[in-house]
Amino acid sequence: MPYVADGARYAAMPYRRAGRSGLKLPAVSLGLWHNFGDVNRIDTQRAVLRRAFDLGVTHFDLANNYGPPPGSAEQNFGRLFAEDLKPYRDEILVSTKAGYLMWDGPYGEWGSRKHLVSSVDASLRRMGLDHVDVFYHHRPDPDTPLDETMGALHSIVQQGKALYVGLSNYSAEQTREAAAALKSLGTPLLIHQPSYSMVNRWVEGGLLDVLDEVGAGSIAFSPLAQGLLTGRYLNGIPEDSRAAGDSPFLTSEGVAAQLDRVRALNEVAQGRGQTLAQMAIAWVLRGGRVTSALVGASSVRQIEDSVGAAANLDFSDDELALIEKLLA
């Protein structure tokens, strides 16, 4: 049967303005990094996308190299979008990125105008869209002048291929310089996408201050620390888990070193009536400085659990003090 979105999809999800822009993002957004490649079941992808939208998740985040293989996440999203979500295009935010290695040769990565314009064109073809809502430069380029990279982002907006632009993995100072370059061109920086979680707090060292200063929003990726801040590892390391495999992002040694802390945090979450994952997402969103938490999901159950975090985003002073103590 044709998909019909839940009529109550906007009833519970909070929406937050990105910086000083007019654009609002859902408190929880869905990232298609790990679970939407050709190695993943298309029926599961479809179920996750449908359920996410039914729960008020209006923002779907991609990159040109997401898969595996690279490009397949955009292709699969494009297929499912056309089959299920196209009637709701005006209610949906689609973002993608470029900057990491995507094709062979000297133009297949980094931040040249050649790479970025070629990348957005290819992404639009893969997804079957005429524009994306946000186009990001995925990482700073040490060899290309910043003015060229920001100029390319500006051109992409001027050409109607993106409505807004963002940055990812830029330092605080790089972000300040990039925002100034964009402002001089007339295309403001909408948003920054950094990694941020209870166990990875680098953004608190200046980046959030810069984003406040330049009027940009933020969307935190890996708020669950690659699964560490979920119930997955409370009883040790399962044989079929990411940490038991060859993931460069989460190792068995890293999990073991954090296990006592994770268990203690889980007790705090239980006291709040949340799962550990829900509390970790809520913690990233505490105080309103982060616009949205970007989560992945390999099942409907996972997206339901993550979205459930939005039901309780407030922390008492005692809870925050205890969490700080556990994280110290």
Side-chain angles (χ1 to χ4, degrees):
M1 292 180 59
Y3 167 68
V4 177
D6 191 324
R9 59 190 175 276
Y10 296 117
M13 175 67 73
Y15 297 87
R16 296 175 162 195
R17 194 172 302 279
R20 292 195 287 268
S21 78
L23 188 69
K24 292 182 178 180
L25 272 63
V28 178
S29 298
L30 180 62
L32 280 63
W33 180 15
H34 284 308
N35 302 306
F36 285 78
D38 286 347
V39 299
N40 306 104
R41 291 175 58 90
I42 196 71
D43 56 339
T44 301
Q45 297 177 38
R46 185 189 306 277
V48 169
L49 285 176
R50 286 181 171 186
R51 187 59 177 147
F53 190 56
D54 283 344
L55 292 170
V57 176
T58 55
H59 179 211
F60 302 105
D61 180 78
L62 298 111
N64 59 353
N65 65 335
Y66 287 177
S72 61
E74 289 182 330
Q75 289 176 327
N76 290 329
F77 174 78
R79 169 187 167 181
L80 296 171
F81 180 88
E83 293 174 358
D84 290 343
L85 297 174
K86 190 173 183 179
Y88 306 98
R89 177 64 180 102
D90 292 342
E91 300 179 42
I92 289 172
L93 298 174
V94 179
S95 61
T96 196
K97 315 175 196 73
Y100 281 99
L101 181 63
M102 186 60 189
W103 63 83
D104 292 337
Y107 321 118
E109 60 181 328
W110 294 111
S112 69
R113 178 180 293 271
K114 169 68 173 175
H115 174 71
L116 293 177
V117 173
S118 297
S119 291
V120 73
D121 287 343
S123 290
L124 293 175
R125 287 194 298 270
R126 282 189 289 269
M127 291 188 284
L129 300 176
D130 59 8
H131 73 277
V132 291
D133 297 282
V134 186
F135 185 68
Y136 288 88
H137 187 219
H138 210 164
R139 61 171 172 171
D141 184 344
D143 297 319
T144 298
L146 186 67
D147 286 346
E148 178 177 340
T149 301
M150 296 306 110
L153 295 181
H154 170 68
S155 294
I156 287 166
V157 171
Q158 295 298 106
Q159 294 164 8
K161 297 172 183 178
L163 301 184
Y164 302 91
V165 297
L167 306 173
S168 186
N169 299 306
Y170 275 57
S171 70
E173 187 53 38
Q174 288 168 333
T175 299
R176 179 182 282 113
E177 293 174 4
L182 285 168
K183 183 178 181 180
S184 72
L185 295 168
T187 297
L189 174 64
L190 174 80
I191 198 164
H192 189 294
Q193 187 176 133
S195 59
Y196 184 36
S197 72
M198 285 180 162
V199 296
N200 176 16
R201 301 176 63 171
W202 74 275
V203 301
E204 297 173 9
L207 179 62
L208 292 178
D209 292 335
V210 169
L211 295 178
D212 289 342
E213 171 190 320
V214 302
S218 61
I219 178 167
F221 74 84
S222 294
L224 303 180
Q226 299 293 320
L228 174 66
L229 297 174
T230 69
R232 183 76 161 136
Y233 299 102
L234 292 174
N235 297 313
I237 302 174
E239 291 183 0
D240 62 345
S241 67
R242 183 176 298 167
D246 57 358
S247 171
F249 303 106
L250 189 66
T251 65
S252 57
E253 294 82 3
V255 171
Q258 298 270 18
L259 197 51
D260 288 344
R261 175 181 292 173
V262 169
R263 287 170 174 158
L265 289 169
N266 185 59
E267 291 182 8
V268 180
Q270 289 179 331
R272 289 171 48 81
Q274 291 182 312
T275 65
L276 176 57
Q278 288 172 340
M279 185 180 77
I281 292 167
W283 183 89
V284 163
L285 293 168
R286 74 197 187 286
R289 297 189 78 189
V290 171
T291 312
S292 182
L294 184 61
V295 303
S298 60
S299 68
V300 167
R301 180 189 59 81
Q302 285 185 355
I303 191 62
E304 289 174 342
D305 186 70
S306 292
V307 170
N312 184 12
L313 299 179
D314 296 323
F315 289 82
S316 69
D317 290 342
D318 288 344
E319 286 173 334
L320 289 173
L322 177 55
I323 290 170
E324 284 297 317
K325 182 178 179 181
L326 293 172
L327 296 176

